[in-house]
Amino acid sequence: MEAGGLPLELWRMILAYLHLPDLGRCSLVCRAWYELILSLDSTRWRQLCLGCTECRHPNWPNQPDVEPESWREAFKQHYLASKTWTKNALDLESSVCFSLFRRRRERRTLSVGPGHEFDSLGSALAMASLYDRIVLFPGVYEEQGEIILKVPVEIVGHGKLGEVALLASIDQHCSTTRLCNLVFMPAWFSPIMYKTTSGHVQFDNCNFENGHIQVHGPGTCQVKFCTFKNTHVFLHNVPLCVLENCEFVGSENNSVTVEGHPSADKNWAYKYLLGLIRSSPILLPAEDSDFLMSLDLESRDQAWSPRTCDIVIEGSQSPTSPASSSPKPGSKAGSQEAEVGSDGEKVAQTPDSSDGGLSPSGEDEDEDQLTYRLSYQVQGPRPVLGGSFLGPPLPGASIQLPSCLVLNSLQQELQKDKEAMALASSVQGCLIRKCLFRDGKGGVFVCSYGRAKMEGNVFRNLTYAVRCIHNSKIVMLRNDIYRCRASGIFLRLEGGGLIAGNNIYHNAEAGVDIRKRSNPLILCNQIHHGLRSGIVVLGNGKGVIRNNQIFSNKEAGIYILYHGNPVVRGNHIFKGRAAGIAVNENGKGLITENVIRENQWGGVDIRRGGIPVLRSNLICFGYSDGVVVGDEGKGLIEGNTIYANKGCGVWMMSSSLPHVTSNHVSYNGLYGVAVFSQKDGVSEFPGGHGAQENFSEDGDAILWETELEKEDDPLRRPITIALVESNSINHNGASGLYVQSNEVLHVLTNVIHANGDRGITVAQSSQLTRVANNSISCNRQSGVKVEAQCKVELRGNGIYDNRGHGIITKGDSTVVIENDIIGNRGSGLQLLPRSDTKVIKNRIHSFRAYGIAVRGRAKALVQENIIFQGKTNKTIFQQITNNRECIMQNNKFLVFKKKSDTWRLVNPPARPHLENSLRGPSATHSGQKVTAMATRITARVEGGYHSNRSIFCTIL
């Protein structure tokens, strides 16, 4: 504006009286006038938009109280869309060579109604020419025969919506038509209100009641600001149709059916509709802080972290008199002088005033006592997730996940996944945008190779929101789906597509139901507060379930059964009232890199033939067990972090032959890993799982076994025995590993450290339990305890620094061979009455008590062991009674000789020897990290954990 002119506020007041054409002319005057016209957005442009009888509020019907970002832009989009039907007008004019000499014909307006030019729509159409406008004045118009549209016309109702009602059956044979501001009802002779097979039809601001609309390819349609009451829109082989800002109410069947592959034959309107869609605002989400970022467990540290530890043995005797007592009969040396073993090490003896040797430290010792050292390496727990879950959980503190566990936004995921981006950007078949589907049976039904895209819609109070079957594909972006009486989204018979950024909640059945070889990509959705499961995959269903938030569902967050085989990656599954993920009835699946936390039952529950691959997940803060492998459950449990669950870290049945490897199991309330063989004896499916669940469609039973896929899965290798290997099991409230089983079990190359009770407890083992190459250290009680009538083999283990005995056994068939049992506060090895034990080629040292203590009538063969003496007032070997069944052969008893001697375990080095034993993901880590000895825990779990049932079965 020129300086000294009228104030801007006054100009705005003046311009607010101008009509649309005048505003357009003013905006062309100059830059200042253009900006002034734009500044009228919340005044004049808002008045024009809301005052137009051909449109409604830009955010109707879902958010009519929310103003658009720009009223001018919203009005512009509607104005351009309302002119789409006339885009082919030039094609229908006379030939090009005459058009230069012929004056263009003006459009006529034909009035229909009492007192006007025509009495009925049929008579007006008989006189209409190309692109004429037919205005129906208020009234009810009932046509007794089918109306055939032969020329392009525009039919508009005069007055407010609802004042003009048209009872007719219209068949469009022309290339284009527009109908606006009308109420359609079916004629008495046909339920079809409108049908077109090749042309383009445009509906603006209309109501449709109790009838059908049919569009067949290559025909197209454009529908905006319309209400459909108990009306079915049927789209067959359409190349492109757009339904936008519409409301569908009270349907007795599907509101919209999209059937058949989009026609390759396209009419003239296809390119204009495509251009209009691409020019409209995109509904893809920007960066959204509510969506948390991707789980990255690939940055795990090395699987094993050996630590150098010096066991300090303190004594009060003078260096000239290192030992005052001689070894018991059976000692090979029988001398107080220093002994030199075959490895050349010298070890001295020091006294101890305590008999039990169970005190946790030597804090009451005099500082001037003599010091001798036996140096060796102990395998400590490996750090995971950048060390975020190494420390104990803080009571009452909120859960703070590290940045590597935060979910990506939808936009970030689409940028990473080019195929998903192509799906999200594609437009084919039917586009349904910003519509409301409510209070009816079905929302959108896509079948027989149909294609549909749904953006920003609301589906509520329906039987189901979307069904996709028979090789059809759907793209669903940013929709709200809630309070459905069945599943929200249902896919079967090889349905697929992209389901991304949706909010799916409060549905009576599963939020998403995937069956019969359907294979969708489910990405960045929020699926929550369902009355059953969040996502169900069954009947050979597949799919990729990635980067979703699945929480507060009444049953499992994800339920896989009947040969379902999805890829479940990078999701947050939390606060469910049952299991986080349940796999049973021969379900499969690759479950990897998920955060599964704060669920009422097991973080992952595997039963009844379920055989998933559970890899690199964080399973934490559950109110029950971390992972449950129940009756007939199988699968590979590999590389997971199982942390701070109130029950066991892993609860499993050995009869199921699970394979538990390379996991970090720490700070769980009860056992780290518990192995049982008995059935639970109660319902195995809390929260409605199992026999109570009906996954058949429309209540019919389905025999999924007839559709099995015969395929070999390279992720699974045959397992013939239950296997627990290469895990780090530390700081759990009870024993690190508890075994009560009647099947063979192998426990190999684990680090079992600083648990609240024993390292390993074998309470029942009628078949052989083999414990080999494990590091068992710093546990609150004994390193290993074997109860009566158990068959156990202990081979190649390192049992260090436990606060009780190294090994205590009552077993009737226990083999202890080639172990290092060093620095334990109790006896190195204690054999209780009626036990039968072979002790061969071990290196044994007790911190304060006996190397080997034989109690009562124990049967034992003690052969070729190296036994270091601890305190000088304790003998190396103790036998309470004269027991001829205890045979001692070729053992070496070593005592300290010199002050401050330090000896190392070499030839072989300190056990376990893990260099060639690592398996699974941990084997790929290189190097070893020397760390300090972990701080010993001081709290003891108070009883209640010696049960042969998982915690949820006990509670039930």
Side-chain angles (χ1 to χ4, degrees):
M1 294 296 180
E2 295 291 337
L6 293 175
L8 290 177
E9 291 77 7
L10 187 55
W11 276 112
R12 291 192 181 102
M13 186 178 297
I14 296 172
L15 294 175
Y17 289 93
L18 297 183
H19 294 287
L20 180 61
D22 298 324
L23 286 174
R25 296 186 186 98
C26 290
S27 66
L28 300 176
V29 173
C30 62
R31 170 68 64 178
W33 279 73
Y34 174 74
E35 293 177 355
L36 181 61
I37 298 300
L38 292 183
S39 70
L40 302 175
D41 188 79
S42 61
T43 55
R44 185 54 180 160
W45 289 111
R46 184 177 186 275
Q47 292 173 0
L48 289 172
C49 191
L50 295 179
C52 179
T53 59
E54 298 181 358
C55 68
R56 306 185 193 185
H57 190 286
N59 290 325
W60 183 87
N62 294 329
Q63 296 177 307
D65 299 328
V66 178
E67 293 196 356
E69 294 183 3
S70 170
W71 286 98
R72 174 183 173 275
E73 183 65 27
F75 186 76
K76 172 186 173 184
Q77 289 294 329
H78 172 72
Y79 180 82
L80 293 176
S82 66
K83 302 301 179 184
T84 303
W85 77 284
T86 63
K87 294 294 185 179
N88 72 331
L90 292 178
D91 300 335
L92 299 178
E93 294 286 344
S94 55
S95 62
V96 175
C97 58
F98 289 102
S99 63
L100 298 176
F101 305 100
R102 178 179 174 178
R103 185 177 65 181
R104 183 165 183 166
R105 186 185 62 81
E106 295 295 331
R107 293 179 58 192
R108 293 186 303 162
T109 300
L110 308 180
S111 300
V112 179
H116 291 274
E117 185 177 359
F118 300 96
D119 294 330
S120 66
L121 176 61
S123 59
L125 288 172
M127 300 299 297
S129 299
L130 297 177
Y131 297 98
D132 282 346
R133 180 183 180 93
I134 300 176
V135 179
L136 301 181
F137 283 83
V140 177
Y141 299 88
E142 182 175 4
E143 301 295 330
Q144 299 301 314
E146 185 178 53
I147 295 177
I148 298 178
L149 298 181
K150 298 181 179 180
V151 295
V153 292
E154 181 181 27
I155 304 173
V156 180
H158 186 272
K160 296 180 178 180
L161 179 62
E163 294 180 352
V164 179
L166 180 60
L167 284 70
S169 178
I170 301 175
D171 189 355
Q172 177 183 333
H173 290 183
C174 57
S175 60
T176 182
T177 298
R178 179 174 184 253
L179 301 105
C180 178
N181 206 39
L182 300 169
V183 175
F184 283 88
M185 298 180 184
W188 62 272
F189 55 87
S190 174
I192 298 175
M193 295 181 288
Y194 199 94
K195 179 174 69 174
T196 181
T197 56
S198 60
H200 172 73
V201 59
Q202 181 170 338
F203 296 103
D204 289 319
N205 198 37
C206 293
N207 284 356
F208 298 86
E209 299 180 4
N210 303 312
H212 297 169
I213 296 174
Q214 297 182 0
V215 180
H216 297 261
T220 56
C221 71
Q222 181 181 354
V223 185
K224 194 165 185 178
F225 298 119
C226 293
T227 298
F228 297 84
K229 296 180 180 179
N230 191 26
T231 297
H232 180 211
V233 178
F234 181 80
L235 308 174
H236 181 75
N237 294 116
V238 292
L240 187 58
C241 284
V242 180
L243 307 178
E244 193 169 11
N245 293 95
C246 294
E247 181 180 24
F248 296 83
V249 184
S251 63
E252 295 179 356
N253 205 320
N254 312 304
S255 294
V256 178
T257 296
V258 182
E259 182 183 67
H261 194 277
S263 172
D265 185 14
K266 301 176 177 60
N267 67 11
W268 67 269
Y270 177 84
K271 62 179 180 180
Y272 295 106
L273 287 177
L274 200 58
L276 185 67
I277 292 169
R278 290 174 176 171
S279 66
S280 60
I282 298 176
L283 287 179
L284 288 181
E287 299 300 325
D288 188 348
S289 60
D290 291 335
F291 281 97
L292 306 173
M293 280 179 334
S294 97
L295 171 62
D296 180 15
L297 298 183
E298 299 297 332
S299 60
R300 292 176 174 269
D301 294 333
Q302 67 267 20
W304 306 94
S305 295
R307 53 191 178 85
T308 300
C309 174
D310 292 341
I311 293 299
V312 178
I313 305 174
E314 299 173 345
S316 59
Q317 215 167 2
S318 69
T320 59
S321 179
S324 60
S325 61
S326 61
K328 291 287 180 181
S331 169
K332 178 180 178 181
S335 171
Q336 298 180 6
E337 297 297 321
E339 291 289 332
V340 180
S342 59
D343 55 2
E345 291 187 331
K346 297 180 181 180
V347 183
Q349 173 185 337
T350 56
D352 186 4
S353 60
S354 66
D355 182 64
L358 299 180
S359 61
S361 65
E363 296 173 356
D364 56 344
E365 307 282 346
D366 296 333
E367 294 182 358
D368 59 348
Q369 292 171 339
L370 299 181
T371 301
Y372 300 89
R373 286 185 173 88
L374 172 60
S375 185
Y376 52 91
Q377 284 190 331
V378 179
Q379 300 288 342
R382 56 187 173 94
V384 293
L385 302 175
S388 303
F389 293 91
L390 280 180
L394 300 177
S398 60
I399 299 174
Q400 298 294 330
L401 295 176
S403 58
C404 66
L405 300 182
V406 182
L407 295 173
N408 286 331
S409 68
L410 176 56
Q411 193 62 39
Q412 289 172 323
E413 283 293 311
L414 293 177
Q415 289 172 355
K416 292 195 311 182
D417 190 336
K418 301 303 180 184
E419 182 178 353
M421 177 63 84
L423 274 174
S425 303
S426 65
V427 180
Q428 195 177 23
C430 178
L431 171 63
I432 304 173
R433 182 160 55 181
K434 296 188 286 187
C435 294
L436 171 62
F437 296 80
R438 64 179 178 88
D439 303 321
K441 181 178 180 181
V444 179
F445 180 46
V446 187
C447 61
S448 302
Y449 297 89
R451 299 291 186 269
K453 182 175 183 179
M454 287 153 270
E455 296 183 71
N457 305 287
V458 173
F459 299 84
R460 72 168 189 249
N461 297 328
L462 305 167
T463 300
Y464 63 86
V466 178
R467 289 180 71 184
C468 176
I469 68 171
H470 291 299
N471 300 96
S472 299
K473 297 292 184 290
I474 57 175
V475 176
M476 299 191 65
L477 302 173
R478 299 298 298 272
N479 301 281
D480 283 332
I481 302 172
Y482 59 98
R483 292 205 294 268
C484 292
R485 294 182 290 277
S487 298
I489 303 172
F490 186 76
L491 301 101
R492 65 187 293 251
L493 296 174
E494 301 187 48
L498 173 66
I499 301 170
N502 302 282
N503 191 15
I504 305 171
Y505 60 100
H506 284 302
N507 296 290
E509 298 287 341
V512 181
D513 190 319
I514 305 169
R515 313 186 184 199
K516 287 191 175 181
R517 299 178 300 279
S518 294
N519 191 19
L521 172 58
I522 302 175
L523 183 66
C524 296
N525 301 280
Q526 291 191 357
I527 304 173
H528 58 99
H529 291 95
L531 300 183
R532 301 195 80 168
S533 299
I535 298 175
V536 170
V537 185
L538 68 156
N540 294 305
K542 297 181 181 179
V544 177
I545 303 169
R546 192 173 80 221
N547 218 70
N548 302 279
Q549 291 188 72
I550 304 171
F551 59 96
S552 299
N553 295 287
K554 189 173 182 180
E555 295 182 3
I558 299 176
Y559 199 4
I560 305 170
L561 68 166
Y562 297 122
H563 305 279
N565 191 15
V567 175
V568 182
R569 184 188 303 273
N571 303 280
H572 282 203
I573 305 170
F574 57 98
K575 294 185 178 179
R577 294 171 62 184
I581 299 177
V583 186
N584 59 52
E585 303 294 350
N586 301 305
K588 301 179 184 178
L590 173 61
I591 302 168
T592 179
E593 299 178 7
N594 303 280
V595 176
I596 305 170
R597 59 182 174 89
E598 300 176 273
N599 295 286
Q600 291 291 332
W601 304 117
V604 178
D605 191 296
I606 305 168
R607 297 172 184 266
R608 291 191 177 181
I611 181 169
V613 174
L614 185 66
R615 177 178 292 154
S616 300
N617 302 279
L618 170 59
I619 304 171
C620 61
F621 300 106
Y623 296 99
S624 179
D625 307 315
V627 178
V628 175
V629 185
D631 188 26
E632 300 181 17
K634 301 181 187 297
L636 173 64
I637 302 169
E638 180 181 29
N640 304 282
T641 297
I642 304 171
Y643 175 82
N645 299 282
K646 290 188 176 181
C648 303
V650 179
W651 186 99
M652 63 184 188
M653 296 184 66
S654 56
S655 59
S656 300
L657 305 181
H659 185 183
V660 182
T661 177
S662 305
N663 301 282
H664 188 92
V665 185
S666 62
Y667 292 100
N668 297 284
L670 301 182
Y671 306 114
V673 177
V675 184
F676 297 95
S677 62
Q678 293 87 354
K679 295 185 179 181
D680 293 335
V682 294
S683 172
E684 299 179 21
F685 300 93
H689 290 319
Q692 300 299 321
E693 185 123 27
N694 179 15
F695 287 102
S696 61
E697 183 184 358
D698 297 330
D700 296 331
I702 298 177
L703 299 178
W704 299 110
E705 285 75 5
T706 61
E707 303 173 10
L708 305 186
E709 293 180 339
K710 304 298 183 180
E711 58 182 15
D712 295 329
D713 194 335
L715 295 175
R716 301 174 178 85
R717 53 178 176 171
I719 299 296
T720 57
I721 58 173
L723 186 60
V724 179
E725 65 169 344
S726 304
N727 302 282
S728 177
I729 305 171
N730 64 89
H731 295 94
N732 298 285
S735 297
L737 173 65
Y738 184 85
V739 180
Q740 185 172 323
S741 171
N742 292 321
E743 286 85 21
V744 177
L745 171 67
H746 284 189
V747 181
L748 310 176
T749 64
N750 301 281
V751 170
I752 303 174
H753 175 80
N755 295 285
D757 197 76
R758 305 174 187 91
I760 298 177
T761 299
V762 183
Q764 177 181 329
S765 178
S766 59
Q767 299 294 323
L768 179 64
T769 295
R770 183 168 181 261
V771 182
N773 295 324
N774 301 279
S775 175
I776 306 169
S777 63
C778 303
N779 295 285
R780 185 72 177 172
Q781 298 294 324
S782 302
V784 179
K785 182 174 182 181
V786 180
E787 295 288 356
Q789 300 180 349
C790 291
K791 297 180 181 180
V792 179
E793 177 186 327
L794 294 157
R795 182 187 295 268
N797 302 284
I799 303 174
Y800 305 102
D801 297 350
N802 298 285
R803 298 189 182 187
H805 305 292
I807 299 173
I808 180 170
T809 176
K810 300 178 183 177
D812 58 5
S813 180
T814 304
V815 178
V816 183
I817 183 170
E818 297 180 351
N819 301 279
D820 287 341
I821 309 170
I822 306 294
N824 300 285
R825 296 297 190 266
S827 300
L829 180 62
Q830 186 166 84
L831 310 181
L832 298 180
R834 293 184 296 277
S835 63
D836 184 354
T837 309
K838 294 180 180 179
V839 185
I840 303 172
K841 294 183 179 180
N842 302 279
R843 292 181 292 195
I844 303 173
H845 165 267
S846 172
F847 194 83
R848 294 192 182 102
Y850 302 99
I852 300 177
V854 180
R855 308 288 185 183
R857 304 294 297 178
K859 182 179 179 180
L861 172 62
V862 182
Q863 181 178 348
E864 298 183 24
N865 301 281
I866 299 175
I867 307 176
F868 304 94
Q869 189 168 7
K871 295 291 185 175
T872 55
N873 68 340
K874 292 289 183 182
T875 57
I876 293 177
F877 180 83
Q878 181 192 42
Q879 185 169 330
I880 301 300
T881 62
N882 185 15
N883 184 3
R884 295 183 180 181
E885 293 185 344
C886 181
I887 303 173
M888 305 284 293
Q889 296 179 350
N890 302 325
N891 299 285
K892 296 180 181 179
F893 296 89
L894 305 181
V895 298
F896 285 108
K897 178 70 175 179
K898 297 180 180 179
K899 178 182 178 181
S900 301
D901 283 341
T902 300
W903 308 106
R904 297 181 182 276
L905 297 179
V906 295
N907 193 27
R911 298 180 177 95
H913 302 151
L914 302 173
E915 290 78 5
N916 299 321
S917 302
L918 296 179
R919 304 181 184 182
S922 56
T924 63
H925 297 286
S926 60
Q928 292 184 334
K929 181 179 180 181
V930 178
T931 62
M933 180 185 298
T935 303
R936 292 168 172 79
I937 61 175
T938 59
R940 182 190 300 267
V941 175
E942 297 296 336
Y945 46 76
H946 295 288
S947 171
N948 64 344
R949 299 179 180 177
S950 66
I951 189 170
F952 67 65
C953 293
T954 303
I955 292 173
L956 285 176

